[in-house]
Amino acid sequence: MFEEVVQDLIDQLGRFPGVGPKSAQRMALWLINQPDTTATEISRTIIDSKRKAKFCKICGNISEEEICSICSNPNRDRTLIAVVEDSKDLVAIEKTREFRGLYQVLGGSLNPIEGIYPEDLRIRDLVMRLGDGKVKEVIIATNPNIEGEATASYLARLIAPLGVKVSRIATGLPMGSDLEFADQMTLGKAFEARTEVKVEE
Amino acid sequence: MFEEVVQDLIDQLGRFPGVGPKSAQRMALWLINQPDTTATEISRTIIDSKRKAKFCKICGNISEEEICSICSNPNRDRTLIAVVEDSKDLVAIEKTREFRGLYQVLGGSLNPIEGIYPEDLRIRDLVMRLGDGKVKEVIIATNPNIEGEATASYLARLIAPLGVKVSRIATGLPMGSDLEFADQMTLGKAFEARTEVKVEE
């Protein structure tokens, strides 16, 4: 129904994840009504970022350099590796400022239905990193959903024989939430993983 | 928190309407994980579409030609003009196949708070089109919200003295909806604009 020139733009913008036909339409019409510079800037950044973005040779994080800023930071604790599914999980953890170790970015989670097997993720790289005995603990921080849990058990079984401590981030009630509205599984996990309250005397 | 190259891309994608920081992040990481051709295709289409897209000299619709395909179609009824806010409203009306006249695309609606006055819309073009007396009816199809209604009354007062019939698309309950869940204003309008049911004998 749109003139071809608009439809082409809608189709291309609709390729982005989470952008449905209505959103793509809105984005396309907005762009056409903007000054030329807007289209030029967006378009140039898409090309530039894609060209410059590499994956860190050590951990798989997105980086402009061969080695990312975390792996090349001498102040990070090299005895700890947190395993995450992708770069945005890494960023979420960095924001907490709770973790000062290194990362391994898998590039997804195991999902045989969608054809994602261990060899499709950066699992071999992780095992290689554990070879020199310097890493003392691997914290598996994949998502607490079916695929993330499957990936976590797979990794735990793979790493445990290497003599490295393997841990999993805790599941439980989110801070500020209501017991009443928690799903059964989360509440169940919260009971299972209860911690003793120590009273100072 | 993201490496600069990713952050730049997130910032640029976040300029699109309806794309919040989380969506922009998801879109950027997806793009970086795609083959180079994806970035090239999207980027090229943004530039091409923006360069090719013009506004029809007659109605203001987006068009690759000076005159859009509707205005240049000899089978359209030139005695009717539907006034819409933008091209996506035109497309929505075209999909109904109920209207065979021409359009006037205003490019927005009156909104003094956001600094949009009559001179910012294609209202003068509309008045010019009514000059030769060929147009018999102007159907105001701006949105039934505050700005759209204000635009509609403004246009009606402007056009009526020219001796052209002015009509407004109907407001009422949407087909398939429930009276129970209708808002008061819509239900009120539906009563006000009730139509007589004629029984064939």
Side-chain angles (χ1 to χ4, degrees), chain A residues 159-174:
Chain A
I159 298 168
L162 306 176
V164 178
K165 182 178 167 189
V166 178
S167 59
R168 178 86 176 104
I169 50 167
T171 44
L173 293 175

Side-chain angles (χ1 to χ4, degrees), chain B residues 97-164:
Chain B
R97 299 176 177 276
E98 284 287 332
F99 179 70
R100 297 297 302 161
L102 302 177
Y103 291 92
Q104 177 71 22
V105 182
L106 295 177
S109 54
L110 294 178
N111 191 341
I113 296 166
E114 295 199 1
I116 302 172
Y117 297 98
E119 57 271 27
D120 301 313
L121 304 176
R122 293 190 197 87
I123 289 178
R124 222 168 71 100
D125 293 357
L126 171 63
V127 175
M128 305 268 279
R129 290 174 74 184
L130 306 178
D132 62 4
K134 283 184 187 155
V135 175
K136 300 299 171 214
E137 182 177 353
V138 171
I139 304 168
I140 306 179
T142 52
N143 289 320
N145 55 24
I146 296 175
E147 294 80 20
E149 289 295 334
T151 312
S153 358
Y154 177 87
L155 290 176
R157 273 196 302 267
L158 191 74
I159 298 167
L162 306 175
V164 178

Side-chain angles (χ1 to χ4, degrees), chain A residues 103-117:
Chain A
Y103 290 92
Q104 177 70 23
V105 181
L106 295 178
S109 53
L110 294 177
N111 191 341
I113 295 167
E114 294 199 4
I116 301 172
Y117 297 98

Side-chain angles (χ1 to χ4, degrees), chain B residues 148-189:
Chain B
E149 289 295 334
T151 312
S153 358
Y154 177 87
L155 290 176
R157 273 196 302 267
L158 191 74
I159 298 167
L162 306 175
V164 178
K165 182 178 168 189
V166 178
S167 58
R168 178 85 176 103
I169 50 166
T171 43
L173 293 174
M175 293 295 291
S177 65
D178 262 345
L179 234 81
E180 180 187 0
F181 301 117
D183 64 287
Q184 282 180 11
M185 246 181 116
T186 302
L187 197 50
K189 287 272 189 184

Side-chain angles (χ1 to χ4, degrees), chain A residues 1-6 8-9 12-13 15-19 25-27 29-36 38-50 52-53 55 61-64 68-69 87-88 91 94-95 97, chain B residues 1-6 8-9 12-13 15-19 25-27 29-36 38-50 52-53 55 61-64 68-69 87-88 91 94-95 97:
Chain A
M1 280 292 182
F2 279 102
E3 303 265 326
E4 200 187 324
V5 63
V6 187
D8 286 350
L9 185 55
Q12 287 296 331
L13 294 173
R15 295 173 72 178
F16 282 109
V19 176
Q25 208 180 85
R26 194 174 159 204
M27 289 163 68
L29 292 175
W30 171 85
L31 193 77
I32 286 170
N33 282 288
Q34 289 291 302
D36 283 349
T38 306
T40 321
E41 285 158 13
I42 295 175
S43 170
R44 189 184 300 145
T45 307
I46 286 176
I47 288 290
D48 283 359
S49 297
K50 175 59 189 164
K52 287 186 201 157
F55 295 98
N61 185 20
I62 296 170
S63 169
E64 224 171 309
C68 78
S69 57
S87 290
K88 61 179 177 296
V91 170
E94 285 296 288
K95 280 184 183 157
R97 299 175 177 276
Chain B
M1 281 294 181
F2 279 103
E3 303 266 327
E4 200 187 323
V5 61
V6 187
D8 287 349
L9 184 55
Q12 287 296 330
L13 294 173
R15 295 174 72 178
F16 283 109
V19 177
Q25 206 180 87
R26 193 175 160 203
M27 288 163 68
L29 291 176
W30 171 85
L31 192 77
I32 286 171
N33 282 289
Q34 290 291 302
D36 283 348
T38 306
T40 321
E41 285 159 11
I42 295 175
S43 172
R44 189 184 300 144
T45 306
I46 286 176
I47 288 290
D48 283 359
S49 295
K50 175 60 189 162
K52 287 186 200 157
F55 294 98
N61 185 20
I62 295 169
S63 168
E64 225 171 310
C68 78
S69 57
S87 291
K88 60 181 178 297
V91 169
E94 284 296 289
K95 280 183 183 157
R97 299 176 177 276

Side-chain angles (χ1 to χ4, degrees), chain A residues 44-89:
Chain A
R44 189 184 300 145
T45 307
I46 286 176
I47 288 290
D48 283 359
S49 297
K50 175 59 189 164
R51 205 188 49 226
K52 287 186 201 157
K54 299 185 187 73
F55 295 98
C56 171
K57 296 243 164 172
I58 298 174
C59 74
N61 185 20
I62 296 170
S63 169
E64 224 171 309
E65 314 296 329
E66 295 273 284
I67 307 298
C68 78
S69 57
I70 294 171
C71 286
S72 57
N73 181 346
N75 299 320
R76 307 288 303 214
D77 181 349
R78 274 148 213 286
T79 65
L80 284 176
I81 292 183
V83 180
V84 293
E85 295 182 17
D86 57 41
S87 290
K88 61 179 177 296
D89 301 330

